[in-house]
Amino acid sequence: MTSTHFNTKDRILGAAEELFAQYGFAGTSLRQVTSRADVNIAAVNYHFGSKENLVNEVFRRRMDEMSEQRLTRLRAAQEESPGELEPILAAFIHPALALTLDRHGSAFVRVLARAYAEKNDRLRKFLSDNYGQVLREFAKALAPCLEGLGKEELYWRMDFIAGALTYAMADFGLIKRPASMSERAFAEKTAQNLIRFAAAGLRA
């Protein structure tokens, strides 16, 4: 792959991510994307084929890496702290919150919030088909730590944890970062509080 090929594709993805974050998926046109990326429509069609595929690839660019980090940390947690709940939750939560520290990742956090807010069945199917297995791996790891908790109840609680995590990533809450605290320190504090909250919810 040539550098020009990579730069054009990456520029389109970056522009689309920023626009989706600002205007939503339905509210963003391919013309806006091409204008922001300074490319023609043929370049978008060549690299992605359709707006739907472009939306999917915006997610794939971030989600593939985050999913790999989650699973790597999950395997380490199971080896180093077998049967312990908190390290498994940390493996799930930390890679997601790390996105908020990335200058480009912060736009994707807003895109992710859009995915929850907007009803887009094709996008939800894409995310389920490609990343549902990651959640199932975590469910499989959590189950032995929670004897007596049925599969359906576990899935309910995991959904609530994922929702709380997304909310924390989007920084919608009552707690705001103090000016004296770095973004990294605040993300770590957020993670610690969320892990404690999630563990209590799973054990309840």
Side-chain angles (χ1 to χ4, degrees), residues 18-88:
E18 291 172 4
L19 289 164
F20 292 152
Q22 190 171 358
Y23 301 110
F25 307 111
T28 298
S29 69
L30 286 181
R31 187 175 296 279
Q32 286 174 294
V33 174
T34 57
S35 177
R36 176 74 64 92
D38 194 24
V39 299
N40 57 37
I41 194 70
V44 176
N45 290 332
Y46 172 75
H47 289 292
F48 304 102
S50 68
K51 181 179 174 182
E52 182 183 337
N53 284 339
L54 175 58
V55 172
N56 292 347
E57 289 304 313
V58 165
F59 277 87
R60 195 189 301 278
R61 182 168 70 148
R62 305 292 183 197
M63 297 288 288
D64 280 4
E65 183 179 354
M66 183 173 72
S67 296
E68 185 179 339
Q69 290 176 1
R70 279 174 159 172
L71 292 173
T72 298
R73 292 184 67 144
L74 175 61
R75 287 190 289 270
Q78 289 177 300
E79 290 174 8
E80 296 165 13
S81 309
E84 292 186 26
L85 194 58
E86 283 80 359
I88 296 172

Side-chain angles (χ1 to χ4, degrees), residues 2-187:
T2 67
S3 176
T4 302
H5 177 98
F6 173 77
N7 287 339
T8 300
K9 183 176 181 180
D10 206 51
R11 211 161 64 240
I12 294 168
L13 286 169
E17 186 175 72
E18 291 172 4
L19 289 164
F20 292 152
Q22 190 171 358
Y23 301 110
F25 307 111
T28 298
S29 69
L30 286 181
R31 187 175 296 279
Q32 286 174 294
V33 174
T34 57
S35 177
R36 176 74 64 92
D38 194 24
V39 299
N40 57 37
I41 194 70
V44 176
N45 290 332
Y46 172 75
H47 289 292
F48 304 102
S50 68
K51 181 179 174 182
E52 182 183 337
N53 284 339
L54 175 58
V55 172
N56 292 347
E57 289 304 313
V58 165
F59 277 87
R60 195 189 301 278
R61 182 168 70 148
R62 305 292 183 197
M63 297 288 288
D64 280 4
E65 183 179 354
M66 183 173 72
S67 296
E68 185 179 339
Q69 290 176 1
R70 279 174 159 172
L71 292 173
T72 298
R73 292 184 67 144
L74 175 61
R75 287 190 289 270
Q78 289 177 300
E79 290 174 8
E80 296 165 13
S81 309
E84 292 186 26
L85 194 58
E86 283 80 359
I88 296 172
L89 289 170
F92 184 72
I93 289 168
H94 276 290
L97 285 176
L99 271 177
T100 65
L101 301 174
D102 183 282
R103 182 169 61 88
H104 301 293
S106 60
F108 179 71
V109 170
R110 297 196 301 278
V111 173
L112 192 59
R114 290 276 189 183
Y116 279 84
E118 293 186 22
K119 184 172 175 57
N120 187 323
D121 290 336
R122 288 180 175 178
L123 175 57
R124 291 184 182 186
K125 184 178 187 305
F126 169 80
L127 293 174
S128 176
D129 289 349
N130 287 274
Y131 305 105
Q133 183 57 34
V134 176
L135 291 174
R136 287 189 287 274
E137 286 296 321
F138 274 89
K140 194 188 304 181
L142 288 167
C145 307
L146 301 162
E147 290 185 13
L149 190 67
K151 183 177 179 180
E152 182 180 356
E153 185 63 27
L154 173 58
Y155 277 22
W156 271 111
R157 297 183 190 192
M158 287 185 66
D159 276 351
F160 294 147
I161 291 167
L165 174 57
T166 304
Y167 190 87
M169 290 167 69
D171 194 24
F172 287 141
L174 297 171
I175 303 294
K176 299 301 179 187
R177 177 174 66 86
S180 60
M181 182 178 288
S182 71
E183 289 186 5
R184 187 169 298 280
F186 186 66

